[in-house]
Amino acid sequence: MSDNIWGYQPAANYTAGTDLIGYKVEATDGSIGKVDKHSDEVNSSYLVVDTGVWIFGKHVLLPAGTVVSVEPEQRRIFVDLTRDQIKHSPEFDKDKHVGDAGYHERVGDYYHSHRRT
């Protein structure tokens, strides 16, 4: 497994440039929502997931390195995190956190500490 949490794993079956908006996101123990936004930026790739009613009105930012697989046919993305890990992640505010290096670092540290090896 790569140390770069901000890059897609080679085995994830992700093709750069694929529009992931609207894809369902599945944690290891159930669905967490749909992709609202994503970035392919080198060393800064991520998904913004709208959790809908599951965590009322919350959006979460998931580094691309948490993605286990992308299934374009089913429009689903699987991540190697539990719903609880995602629920307790640093809150994402698109008006404050896009391009915020400090927030980016906090999120990276949080998910890096929860990765399976």
Side-chain angles (χ1 to χ4, degrees):
M1 183 175 279
S2 168
D3 281 340
N4 180 12
I5 196 148
W6 298 103
Y8 287 95
Q9 302 300 316
N13 191 34
Y14 174 72
T15 304
T18 302
D19 182 3
L20 301 175
I21 294 173
Y23 276 46
K24 288 183 181 177
V25 181
E26 303 284 338
T28 58
D29 55 353
S31 181
I32 62 156
K34 291 185 179 179
V35 176
D36 193 45
K37 180 181 182 200
H38 66 97
S39 168
D40 272 348
E41 208 172 305
V42 175
N43 294 325
S44 187
S45 298
Y46 60 82
L47 305 172
V48 174
V49 180
D50 179 351
T51 61
V53 296
W54 174 58
I55 312 175
F56 187 71
K58 184 174 177 180
H59 285 75
V60 294
L61 186 131
L62 300 179
T66 64
V67 174
V68 177
S69 70
V70 177
E71 295 185 355
E73 305 80 31
Q74 289 84 29
R75 295 181 51 83
R76 294 193 328 178
I77 297 169
F78 292 86
V79 295
D80 192 17
L81 298 162
T82 65
R83 290 168 53 110
D84 209 44
Q85 288 170 329
I86 294 164
K87 186 175 184 176
H88 293 101
S89 68
E91 179 125 20
F92 176 73
D93 182 332
K94 65 182 181 217
D95 297 325
K96 289 194 278 191
H97 295 138
V98 172
D100 177 339
Y103 173 77
H104 204 89
E105 190 174 325
R106 279 194 313 281
V107 169
D109 289 348
Y110 175 83
Y111 285 118
H112 205 74
S113 71
H114 287 86
R115 289 176 92 177
R116 295 179 186 165
T117 53

